[in-house]
Amino acid sequence: MLRYQTAGESHGPQLTAIVSGFPAGVPVAPEDINRDLARRQKGYGRGGRMNIEKDRVQFLSGIRFGLSIGSPITLVIPNLDFQNWQDVMSPLPASEDISRRVTRPRPGHADLPGALKYGHKDARNILERSSARETAARVAVGALCKTLLKQFNIDVFSHVIRIADVQAKPDSLSFDEIKQAASVSDLSCADVNASQRMKKKIDEAKAKGDTVGGVAEIIAMGVPVGLGGVMNWEERLDGILAGAIMSIPSVKGVEIGIGFTAAGIFGSLVHDEIFYAPTKPKALNGHGPSGGFYRKTNNAGGIEGGISNGEPVVIHAAFKPIPTMMTPKRSVDLVTKEPFDASKERSDVCAVPAAAVVAEAMTAFILAQAFIAKFGGDSMGEMKKNYDSYIQYLKRY
Amino acid sequence: MLRYQTAGESHGPQLTAIVSGFPAGVPVAPEDINRDLARRQKGYGRGGRMNIEKDRVQFLSGIRFGLSIGSPITLVIPNLDFQNWQDVMSPLPASEDISRRVTRPRPGHADLPGALKYGHKDARNILERSSARETAARVAVGALCKTLLKQFNIDVFSHVIRIADVQAKPDSLSFDEIKQAASVSDLSCADVNASQRMKKKIDEAKAKGDTVGGVAEIIAMGVPVGLGGVMNWEERLDGILAGAIMSIPSVKGVEIGIGFTAAGIFGSLVHDEIFYAPTKPKALNGHGPSGGFYRKTNNAGGIEGGISNGEPVVIHAAFKPIPTMMTPKRSVDLVTKEPFDASKERSDVCAVPAAAVVAEAMTAFILAQAFIAKFGGDSMGEMKKNYDSYIQYLKRY
Amino acid sequence: MLRYQTAGESHGPQLTAIVSGFPAGVPVAPEDINRDLARRQKGYGRGGRMNIEKDRVQFLSGIRFGLSIGSPITLVIPNLDFQNWQDVMSPLPASEDISRRVTRPRPGHADLPGALKYGHKDARNILERSSARETAARVAVGALCKTLLKQFNIDVFSHVIRIADVQAKPDSLSFDEIKQAASVSDLSCADVNASQRMKKKIDEAKAKGDTVGGVAEIIAMGVPVGLGGVMNWEERLDGILAGAIMSIPSVKGVEIGIGFTAAGIFGSLVHDEIFYAPTKPKALNGHGPSGGFYRKTNNAGGIEGGISNGEPVVIHAAFKPIPTMMTPKRSVDLVTKEPFDASKERSDVCAVPAAAVVAEAMTAFILAQAFIAKFGGDSMGEMKKNYDSYIQYLKRY
Amino acid sequence: MLRYQTAGESHGPQLTAIVSGFPAGVPVAPEDINRDLARRQKGYGRGGRMNIEKDRVQFLSGIRFGLSIGSPITLVIPNLDFQNWQDVMSPLPASEDISRRVTRPRPGHADLPGALKYGHKDARNILERSSARETAARVAVGALCKTLLKQFNIDVFSHVIRIADVQAKPDSLSFDEIKQAASVSDLSCADVNASQRMKKKIDEAKAKGDTVGGVAEIIAMGVPVGLGGVMNWEERLDGILAGAIMSIPSVKGVEIGIGFTAAGIFGSLVHDEIFYAPTKPKALNGHGPSGGFYRKTNNAGGIEGGISNGEPVVIHAAFKPIPTMMTPKRSVDLVTKEPFDASKERSDVCAVPAAAVVAEAMTAFILAQAFIAKFGGDSMGEMKKNYDSYIQYLKRY
């Protein structure tokens, strides 16, 4: 089974990810990973640290001469800022300088529940790991998974569809056009007009010392019918994807397809009718193999009954605003139990474009996992034969 | 680890659930389970079959003299209608009557992707398991988990907050009042006014041969700080809950706390400030142990950084309308590839109150699992001591 | 992933097993399961209860018209003796008759550690589940797995090679001959001479009020090269098999291939040389597909580096003697802490032939699980195509 | 749940292990790990490379100021020899020098089954990971687990009891004496006489260009009653331990307690009688908490019914001789299919003392995992309270 494990503190020497269960023979180059790492560091509304960390991956196992070899793959992302933190983050038994403890938990972070759960009085022991820095490792893992999916013409991308109350309306664009438009937007937004208003909203928040969140849409094109499963609850692709997306720091809502909208309209407007053409119409936007069956709508977001149905998988993730802000927020010291004002100087106002890249990564990981579960195979050669044989079966079904 | 496995076809002899990892010494009686089974079968907008199945649980292992003994617990719910289906559902090698095959997949169901995935031409082999009937087994499991949670004063309940476009506004009620009001509503809705309009909407849908969905709120009161985890993505309680909720048939959206709303407003309005009182104010609505720390708002829905923070856990689940309806929907025959009209006589118009009970059940299961992971213990006696010791620690933190 | 969950007390109404992840389209008939259930109840040296329980499986889900359909398969084995135990095993809250508690733990059983672990003073709450009766459910699961393996010409069987200090020497027989000879022996022993001496040893033990154990050899023929894995410790087929075998009650030792013998001789005598013939010699005994590569010896027992190598998988399991016996054994009452004599009237003297069937079952389960992991596929049709494609690849390698 | 993931090729830059689920607040110092890493590199009969690699661990996450903090712990062991292998092991897309491929699989290694499974023609892609070098990472993980176990007075150690056909007889020694004697023996053997004969056997093998294996005994003292479980097969401590031990390269046999010997003698000689003393006799050798219950024999090896019973856990692991040797062994080239002689210059003759350290490590990991599952707790403080409360319960049982 494809799985991954990450480790690393925000100000420690590095982030480490180990991916295991990745088949042998997949072409993988550092640029494949670095591209997404760079995307995670960009976006209108980001502040200072993003300029310090220029994330670059190192392959320390599992890849040889540009191909995965079947063994666990170690991805390392050094924390370039570590040199300034060696004392504070030392692993060695040492007399800790208690005056440097972080005893002031920030609302909206893991600081307080984490300190209580793990028995710490220094919240740094929590925040170093709960920091969004950890998502850089997930992005590296997701980018690796994309190299596998690409071999089967599955393309996972994302775009921002809302910042605060500004909604993008890229409805007239095809998924290919959306992808293209988002790739050249510093908000990952395919609607140029909305983009301008989003930036104003971000500027407004910045001026107030406040922060904003938003919504991203993640799209996977080319997903074949049959990933996931309906026979056991833990196998349902929608559940697995939702769990993975909600596990991203700051995500508070997930939708598959039209999501909450489906709860508000009549059934006759929701369910996607089924059509058939031995050769499907060309205009179909990002569909994956499903024999000659296809849909003209995709309200289901590509998943019915927990199984991919051959239409693009479409997910929405709602991100709350960044909790660290200059606006006064009351909190209580862990040690003294005295109240204090938790406001902080901080230059980040909006992290939605970056968070969208993380959501992409989790989607790519889950789809790669489901893909490997369905097609088995320890090598690209074997997987391709199994996949091709399934595609033939679908055509003749 | 607490886990469960269910089995059983919709028209087979029975549903079976086996729960393992349940501690010894928990008082369990059939009424504990039957109560929720009955709740799942009720609700304004349900039709015929619900009157046939009067679900009653049988305990076939793991419980002795009214107490769990630590061994796997077998819960069986007979399908009372099975006698009429013995030929169609026979396990024995027999010449199947091909004319009785179901070859017409319904949009919005697992029928088509399932038939393609598992290689069936008879969609009955899919729909018997993908049927919402399976959720009765989940409700039994959830009700069992509630007996454990109850020992620690954790109470999981739900209420309907939207049917189609009719929104309930029970904002002035406490959680206790909501629970009470919902328990006497045939829509599980705590807002009497909204309830009336919801019923009209259901009647309208019925008159049109259409269906409606809605949104339920699931609330867990008394959850202590510290369930879940922030150190690994798979341990985050919000992710696990979202995955479990999204795995319920017909769910297309999940929110924790204010969910998508958080994406639309400034950060200063989102994050819950932290307060402290050695003895917390009495008025607090459903909070669980977290030392003297508490919040006056709960936008986070009781989870920060993937860890429960002592406030009530609040989840929203969006259910799409029932896919089977009288309104014409186009589809394609699996064998002939000819188009057909997938409309059906069906008396169910709205299943949201029932689905809410399923969402409760999944929430109870996940919380029980996280609770056991945190407090260890193979028996109630041991768990109670570990729990009490943790509560003492929180008080003295 | 193929997995199973069993439940059921020894004197409860039934044993239940649910197998999930079993592909659709595998022919399964009750006789496939009942045959092995009957084998588990036989064997020279068994006593009374075996005549009461005539185990017969019931299929309650997952199988339709003689074929698996892809949903979880429920296997039920009623405990025919239950009618006499309804009061003692009642699940209902009731005033337990304390005088009927079992407070006298038997050495060699789970009674004492189980009572302490789960907080019981009535050891019946442990022994009902720790009883070897539970292995009937495992045998049913294993027999089901064999129906899948059979589709790929993999045959799992066992024979007894030692009872107490009597060693069988069937070295001159081929595996086919061993299988045949064991199938007609009431000790599952392929060496007729040794068999006679084994029976004498059993009779001797019986006369003394004592018990005996022994060793079984489990053989899987036709296993293709490539099951298991070397890249992660949990994927190694030898480790997984050893864990599954050691989990059988009364097993205290496991060997793969020549096992402990390998530790005692020079390396030059241990490692199996590699040969190649485009068409392998016919005489090869039970080899599975591995291209043209083959061995003339099989000291490795078919597994090198945690991966099946195409030779028969050969496992030895050492079973300790039955702990319940007439010979005096000292123990201590759970309540009074008074010593007592734990000897019991019991007619079972030797259960090795039955235990061998359980070891077969666990082997079949693990191999089926590894097989499905390698070849993927949700249906027999898909698996066969993937398997055939792999065999073609091996031939052309 | 405690788990670990390792990665790294034998001639790659480093080995990496990530341990997650390790509680916060455990004192950990580099020497704790380095001590066992050094032990793994020693032993009479080792050759050249062991002198190159002077393994030292680096902590790259999860440990701060000498204490675990609850986050995943990254352990890195650099491969000092890497500088000589950078070209051969480059991860970058490059024109591989085909002439340097390893196409000659060695009998007794994963080379052939691995190459066939993963689709490689260069066996280096297998042997780099299947190499015993990987076990250094396991030893680091095991040493980390020992730091946790030590907090609860659980001590895991090992000694060699057989090399080839030379058997040690340390029967007159207590476990403490055995541990002491083994620690000063360059064969980890507590029997000085046997040691001499073992060395002669190793010298003899070396002179012949041959290799030898042996048997190690792993002992865990202080294990409390109640680890593992009897309710589900996967929870049984004996099964889990056996699986972990058999997953070690070169292990072909595992015993718990007297193992195969139990299969050869009468039941009356096997099962350990139960005694009780409110204060247990002092002479008891390494027993763990189990209330006042104890045994005078330990044929069960500390596990009954899959549950630890408070006596020392005793495991035997049988290691086959090192497969790489100077003695001629026939094999077949992967590409040309031509036979060749697989003999190699190699200075390692016996690796049993090192392998014993690996078996210790796996035992420590499994016991720590079972310990955490039983006692829950996210921090040492919480675990200690839960553990102490359990010990009190045992005393009053």
Side-chain angles (χ1 to χ4, degrees), chain B residues 82 86 89-94, chain C residues 28-30 59-61 63-67:
Chain B
F82 174 59
Q86 298 201 47
M89 296 303 295
S90 171
L92 296 182
Chain C
V28 182
F59 295 148
L60 296 188
S61 76
I63 297 172
R64 194 166 165 238
F65 301 136
L67 294 173

Side-chain angles (χ1 to χ4, degrees), chain C residues 4-6 105-110 112-121 125-126 129-130 138 162-165 201 204-205 208 210-215 225-236 238-239 242-244 246-247 249 251-256 259-260 262-268 270-276 290 293 295 299-300 303-305 307-309 316 318-323 325 327-334 337 362 365-366 374 390 393-394 397, chain D residues 4-6 105-110 112-121 125-126 129-130 138 162-165 201 204-205 208 210-215 225-236 238-239 242-244 246-247 249 251-256 259-260 262-268 270-276 290 293 295 299-300 303-305 307-309 316 318-323 325 327-332 334 337 362 365-366 374 390 393-394 397:
Chain C
Y4 78 87
Q5 170 73 52
T6 74
R106 300 158 299 166
H109 280 280
L112 178 58
L116 292 168
K117 176 181 176 71
Y118 297 99
H120 292 302
K121 288 273 163 147
N125 290 330
I126 300 301
R129 181 68 185 151
S130 63
R138 300 203 206 190
R162 183 141 66 91
I163 294 291
D165 56 358
K201 183 61 80 171
E204 181 193 337
K208 288 187 179 181
D210 216 320
T211 57
V212 287
V215 179
V225 69
L227 301 193
V230 73
M231 300 306 187
N232 287 293
W233 73 278
E234 325 91 300
E235 296 162 7
R236 294 177 76 107
D238 41 8
M246 191 69 93
S247 81
V251 173
K252 298 301 283 187
V254 183
E255 296 179 315
I256 307 287
F260 278 83
I265 58 180
F266 284 120
S268 54
V270 170
H271 305 290
D272 305 306
E273 296 185 307
I274 298 171
F275 300 93
Y276 184 85
S290 60
F293 298 95
R295 317 296 171 104
N299 293 329
I303 303 177
E304 281 173 312
I307 304 175
S308 64
N309 68 3
H316 292 169
F319 305 99
K320 69 179 183 181
I322 295 168
M325 67 188 87
T327 309
K329 273 280 166 187
R330 283 170 291 179
S331 185
V332 175
D333 190 281
L334 293 177
K337 307 296 187 296
M362 292 309 290
F365 168 72
I366 297 299
K374 168 90 183 138
Y390 180 68
Y393 149 79
L394 289 177
Y397 178 88
Chain D
Y4 78 87
Q5 171 74 50
T6 73
R106 298 158 300 166
H109 280 280
L112 178 59
L116 292 168
K117 176 181 176 71
Y118 297 97
H120 291 303
K121 289 272 163 145
N125 289 330
I126 300 303
R129 180 70 186 152
S130 63
R138 301 204 206 191
R162 184 142 64 91
I163 293 291
D165 56 356
K201 183 61 82 171
E204 180 192 339
K208 285 187 181 182
D210 215 321
T211 57
V212 287
V215 178
V225 68
L227 302 193
V230 72
M231 300 307 187
N232 288 293
W233 74 276
E234 323 90 302
E235 295 162 7
R236 295 179 74 107
D238 41 8
M246 191 70 92
S247 80
V251 174
K252 299 300 282 187
V254 183
E255 296 179 315
I256 307 286
F260 277 84
I265 57 180
F266 284 120
S268 54
V270 170
H271 305 290
D272 304 307
E273 296 186 308
I274 298 170
F275 299 93
Y276 183 86
S290 60
F293 298 95
R295 318 296 172 103
N299 294 328
I303 303 177
E304 283 173 311
I307 303 175
S308 63
N309 68 3
H316 292 168
F319 304 98
K320 68 178 185 182
I322 294 168
M325 66 188 88
T327 310
K329 274 279 166 186
R330 283 170 291 180
S331 184
V332 175
L334 293 177
K337 308 296 188 295
M362 293 307 291
F365 168 71
I366 297 299
K374 168 90 182 140
Y390 179 68
Y393 148 81
L394 288 177
Y397 178 89

Side-chain angles (χ1 to χ4, degrees), chain A residues 101-116 120-124 126-127 130 323-324 328-344, chain B residues 271-276 293-295 304 309 397:
Chain A
R101 282 187 172 180
V102 177
T103 61
R104 303 187 141 201
R106 298 158 300 165
H109 280 281
D111 299 3
L112 178 59
L116 292 167
H120 292 303
K121 289 272 163 148
D122 183 353
R124 177 163 304 286
I126 300 303
L127 63 88
S130 63
T324 316
K329 274 279 167 187
R330 285 171 290 180
S331 184
V332 175
D333 190 280
L334 293 176
V335 175
T336 64
K337 307 297 187 298
E338 293 299 316
F340 69 94
D341 171 359
S343 68
K344 286 230 172 151
Chain B
H271 306 290
D272 305 306
E273 297 185 307
I274 298 171
F275 300 93
Y276 184 84
F293 298 94
Y294 68 98
R295 318 295 171 104
E304 283 173 311
N309 68 2
Y397 178 88

Side-chain angles (χ1 to χ4, degrees), chain A residues 5 108 116-117 120 210-211 226 228 231-232 247 252 254 256 267-268 271 273 300 304 329-330 337 393 397, chain B residues 5 108 116-117 120 210-211 226 228 232 236 252 254 256 267-268 271 273 300 304 329-330 337 393 397:
Chain A
Q5 171 74 50
L116 292 167
K117 177 182 176 71
H120 292 303
D210 216 321
T211 56
M231 300 307 188
N232 288 293
S247 81
K252 298 300 283 186
V254 183
I256 306 287
S268 54
H271 305 290
E273 297 186 307
E304 283 173 312
K329 274 279 167 187
R330 285 171 290 180
K337 307 297 187 298
Y393 149 80
Y397 179 89
Chain B
Q5 171 74 51
L116 292 167
K117 176 181 175 70
H120 291 304
D210 216 320
T211 56
N232 287 294
R236 294 178 75 105
K252 299 299 283 185
V254 183
I256 307 288
S268 54
H271 306 290
E273 297 185 307
E304 283 173 311
K329 273 280 167 188
R330 284 170 291 180
K337 307 296 187 295
Y393 149 80
Y397 178 88

Side-chain angles (χ1 to χ4, degrees), chain D residues 1 79 94 103 112 144 162 181 254 257 324 353 370:
Chain D
M1 199 183 78
N79 289 333
T103 61
L112 178 59
L144 179 71
R162 184 142 64 91
V254 183
T324 318

